[in-house]
Amino acid sequence: MRQTGLAHLYWGNIVMVTVGAVMIYLAIAKKCEPFLLIGIGFACIVVNIPGSDLAEAGGLFYYAYQGVSSLIVPPLIFLGVGALTDFGPMIANPKLVLLGAGAHLGIFVALILAKAIGFSLAEAGAIGIIGGADGPMAIFVTMKLAPHLLPPISVAAYSYMALMPIIQPPVMKLLTSKAERNIPMAQMRKVSRLEKIIFPVIIAIIVNLFFPPVAPLVTMLMLGNLFREVLIVGRLVDTAGGPILNVVTMVLTVAIGSTMSAKNFLNWQTVEIIGLGLIAFVFGTASGVITAKLMNLFLKTKINPLIGSAGIASVPIAARVSHIVANKENPQLFLIYHAMGPNLAGVFGTAISGGILLALLGLK
């Protein structure tokens, strides 16, 4: 018995195994981003079974984590996302870019609160970026500013991204009236192929010129999107958005879950980061909705404020939540395409926010 893991099991392991099981339950029963939660939850369970060496040096989960911490995996995630993404909604209705900016208040609220409770400015910046709802960007910024906080920040970022269908709707409904939730969206103009090809090239140039600290991520996002839009490299599109994205997603999720050992995770600092991350998501959702309501004061053709919540960068989760909430209110409303505009703008909003934080707080 003493040679088995059972002899070394303690209450913290049981707590974290339960947390992992809950994640898997939410993924399967509630359909909360199963591509993220199943891998994270499973790895969380495994690393909390005493005797497992998968997360130890030389173990499989250990090498998965090295791919994340060395910033190899996040750009590859962006490459695959770019290959699957149609930026047409953002190009067609550029005023919705304002929602991508307005929905990032949560980053700075969490930063201020983190500094107020004792985190260093660099640590507070890394914690704040959770509010952008962009997992790869959160990992990237954290590794530059506060690499020792990568485990709790990455867990918070990806867990809350997966739980957005639970977190966002109450905030969205609280801040909108029934009449506002029923506002129909005007049909968008058709975006030309030339516009779609030029767009990733221009964005890559702008980001590399003005926001070099986060250029690796956005550059790969734009490369994947250029593959998609030229229509002549289908195999590259299929590979980037299929096998590569699937493999790096598996690597990413088990790497994140493998950091959730009771020994490292059950402490007050982790609780603070998880709490600040939730505050960041709530404020980001709220500020996006409020920005849309403010825009309606000046627009002749009103926009449905529910798409404001999609201004945070989790693509396409946030856009899907906006659509689902509206569609439950009125089955005749289909906001997914419209919500993709601010959702995609949110990617750039988080990149700009991350670039500003890295420029002001200093690279490591």
Side-chain angles (χ1 to χ4, degrees):
M1 179 67 73
R2 293 179 181 177
Q3 295 179 340
T4 67
L6 189 62
H8 304 283
L9 192 70
Y10 82 109
W11 67 268
N13 297 128
I14 297 173
V15 170
M16 294 309 297
V17 166
T18 303
V19 169
V22 170
M23 287 183 169
I24 295 175
Y25 167 78
L26 291 172
I28 297 172
K30 303 298 182 181
K31 304 297 188 294
C32 289
E33 296 307 315
F35 286 97
L36 297 177
L37 285 188
I38 289 177
I40 295 173
F42 184 80
C44 175
I45 291 173
V46 171
V47 299
N48 281 286
I49 298 175
S52 172
D53 62 356
L54 281 170
E56 303 298 326
L60 184 60
F61 290 179
Y62 169 84
Y63 286 113
Y65 184 75
Q66 298 310 303
V68 174
S69 62
S70 60
L71 300 181
I72 296 172
V73 168
L76 292 176
I77 291 280
F78 266 53
L79 175 70
V81 171
L84 296 175
T85 300
D86 177 9
F87 282 96
M90 193 175 78
I91 301 171
N93 200 351
K95 65 176 176 286
L96 297 183
V97 171
L98 294 174
L99 298 177
H104 282 72
L105 178 64
I107 292 176
F108 302 99
V109 169
L111 186 157
I112 293 169
L113 291 176
K115 186 66 177 73
I117 63 175
F119 287 96
S120 71
L121 195 54
E123 291 172 335
I127 294 168
I129 204 66
I130 296 172
D134 186 331
M137 187 64 69
I139 291 170
F140 192 88
V141 172
T142 300
M143 283 306 300
K144 299 293 186 180
L145 293 179
H148 58 287
L149 294 183
L150 181 61
I153 287 177
S154 60
V155 169
Y158 275 97
S159 297
Y160 286 140
M161 284 169 59
L163 295 174
M164 281 170 63
I166 296 173
I167 297 170
Q168 285 194 306
V171 180
M172 296 160 67
K173 292 177 181 178
L174 178 66
L175 296 175
T176 56
S177 66
K178 184 175 182 65
E180 287 175 322
R181 294 193 293 272
N182 276 275
I183 294 176
M185 294 290 294
Q187 185 172 353
M188 291 184 182
R189 71 173 179 86
K190 183 176 177 59
V191 178
S192 70
R193 180 60 50 190
L194 180 60
E195 288 176 285
K196 290 186 175 184
I197 292 173
I198 292 174
F199 178 81
V201 177
I202 292 176
I203 293 297
I205 292 172
I206 291 173
V207 169
N208 279 272
L209 279 176
F210 297 103
F211 302 100
V214 294
L217 293 181
V218 179
T219 298
M220 295 302 286
L221 179 72
M222 293 298 99
L223 177 60
N225 188 246
L226 185 61
F227 286 159
R228 169 194 172 93
E229 299 303 346
V230 295
L231 302 181
I232 56 173
V233 287
R235 286 186 301 169
L236 298 183
V237 176
D238 293 341
T239 301
I244 288 180
L245 185 58
N246 291 337
V247 169
V248 293
T249 297
M250 287 187 286
V251 171
L252 178 71
T253 55
V254 298
I256 292 172
S258 70
T259 68
M260 298 176 66
S261 66
K263 178 178 63 178
N264 298 325
F265 210 75
L266 291 181
N267 56 67
W268 184 244
Q269 185 182 70
T270 298
V271 173
E272 290 176 330
I273 291 172
I274 297 293
L276 288 167
L278 179 59
I279 291 171
F281 265 65
V282 170
F283 269 88
T285 300
S287 63
V289 173
I290 291 171
T291 300
K293 289 163 69 79
L294 291 174
M295 288 175 64
N296 278 340
L297 298 176
F298 305 96
L299 295 174
K300 290 183 179 179
T301 303
K302 308 301 182 185
I303 60 176
N304 191 311
L306 292 177
I307 69 171
S309 65
I312 56 179
S314 183
V315 178
I317 304 171
R320 191 160 59 234
V321 172
S322 296
H323 168 74
I324 290 171
V325 172
N327 193 248
K328 286 182 177 179
E329 187 76 30
N330 181 351
Q332 302 303 313
L333 289 177
F334 293 89
L335 295 188
I336 185 67
Y337 192 72
H338 300 280
M340 282 301 296
N343 200 188
L344 295 169
V347 174
F348 299 110
T350 302
I352 292 170
S353 299
I356 291 172
L357 291 174
L358 292 176
L360 293 179
L361 303 181
L363 293 172
K364 286 190 176 182

